Amino acid sequence: ILEKHYREMQDIEFTAQKNKLWMLQTRNGKRTGFAAVRIAADNAAPYQVQASIGIEHRFSRKNSISIDYAMIRGVHLLRMRNINAPPESERPDTRVLDVNQFESRGRSRAQSLTATWRGKLSRRAEFVVTYVLSRSMDDTSGPFSFPANSYDLAKEWARSDYDRRHRFNFAGSLRLPLGLKAGSILSIGSAIPFNVTTGGDENGDGVVNDRPIGLARNTGHGPAFTQLDLRLSKKIRYGESASGSSRNIEVLVDCFNMLNNTNYDNYVGV
């Protein structure tokens, strides 16, 4: 009602006391310059090209080893870019501020080599061990990610946000007396990268993601990842169904992150 009366966006101040709402004041809201969002005329649908090859060898009845190689290439990945950012001091179109354009000019490339050992130590113990050596590179973090400099996209080609060069996983289970079953999962991974920024908008493009001069994207390195999870379970039989099959209740006790290790996954690289 107020905006209709004043014909302008309103900033309204109010307070609530004893279940009553009291209006304090209203005034015309402050607006920034006009901005626009557009889609690039040459946009294309993103897609991936994937190729893989693998080999598996069973060297006993209880043990096997497999090695797999995979290559994934992403084409026409989406990102945003402010095409009205000031190249030096003045914007190309001084009538507006930001002109954020969706573009499908991003790309990615990833390779991985995976080795897996599946085995049984006995009828009571079995395990799976996996090691992955991988590398993932791209120049966009997603459809709504902006480059640090809209006119210098070469420095955006760097390690992907999720790139872990080394990953090790162990999963095992052991059948114990009294019908108990123990299981464990151990995951270890090398550090993922993060973007180092100045915390300011030195180039005046309206996005606070500028990096120190000469620094490319995702050059920071976080700590490694380590997590150990344990499980203890037992099945309790409590009768049979009408079809003759047994009815069971499974009691589970899960313990996550037994090493109490802090694993960071989001970084503010200021």
Side-chain angles (χ1 to χ4, degrees), residues 45-248:
Y47 66 91
Q48 287 185 336
V49 178
Q50 181 173 344
S52 61
I53 186 173
I55 184 172
E56 183 174 358
H57 175 66
R58 183 177 295 275
F59 56 90
S60 72
R61 291 189 305 169
K62 299 180 180 180
N63 292 271
S64 66
I65 291 179
S66 63
I67 299 177
D68 299 277
Y69 169 80
M71 183 276 293
I72 302 176
R73 181 186 176 192
V75 183
H76 296 309
L77 303 184
L78 297 175
R79 68 180 175 208
M80 294 196 78
R81 185 168 67 94
N82 185 0
I83 61 175
N84 200 44
E88 294 181 356
S89 60
E90 187 173 306
R91 298 178 183 272
D93 188 349
T94 57
R95 297 171 301 174
V96 296
L97 288 178
D98 301 330
V99 180
N100 299 325
Q101 179 171 273
F102 276 105
E103 299 180 343
S104 61
R105 299 173 185 172
R107 58 193 176 99
S108 68
R109 182 169 296 176
Q111 300 182 75
S112 66
L113 183 66
T114 305
T116 304
W117 178 16
R118 296 179 176 86
K120 291 184 177 181
L121 298 178
S122 66
R123 290 192 297 179
R124 292 181 173 270
E126 56 185 295
F127 63 88
V128 177
V129 179
T130 303
Y131 170 74
V132 181
L133 174 64
S134 63
R135 183 186 186 191
S136 180
M137 306 282 289
D138 58 31
D139 58 4
T140 174
S141 296
F144 299 101
S145 65
F146 286 85
N149 186 340
S150 293
Y151 301 105
D152 185 10
L153 303 179
K155 290 186 176 63
E156 299 303 308
W157 179 256
R159 292 177 61 188
S160 303
D161 296 346
Y162 50 84
D163 179 45
R164 288 191 192 273
R165 295 296 170 85
H166 306 279
R167 284 174 289 167
F168 173 85
N169 293 282
F170 171 86
S173 63
L174 177 65
R175 297 185 182 276
L176 302 173
L178 304 177
L180 296 173
K181 185 177 181 180
S184 64
I185 297 177
L186 173 64
S187 299
I188 302 174
S190 58
I192 58 175
F194 63 88
N195 206 21
V196 178
T197 64
T198 62
D201 181 23
E202 283 79 4
N203 59 12
D205 64 356
V207 183
V208 187
N209 66 344
D210 294 8
R211 294 189 293 266
I213 297 176
L215 203 62
R217 170 173 160 262
N218 280 353
T219 54
H221 299 276
F225 176 91
T226 304
Q227 182 164 323
L228 174 64
D229 301 330
L230 300 178
R231 165 176 285 188
L232 185 65
S233 63
K234 178 179 175 62
K235 284 187 177 181
I236 302 174
R237 183 176 178 180
Y238 70 97
E240 294 184 351
S241 63
S243 61
S245 59
S246 60
R247 293 178 175 177
N248 299 289

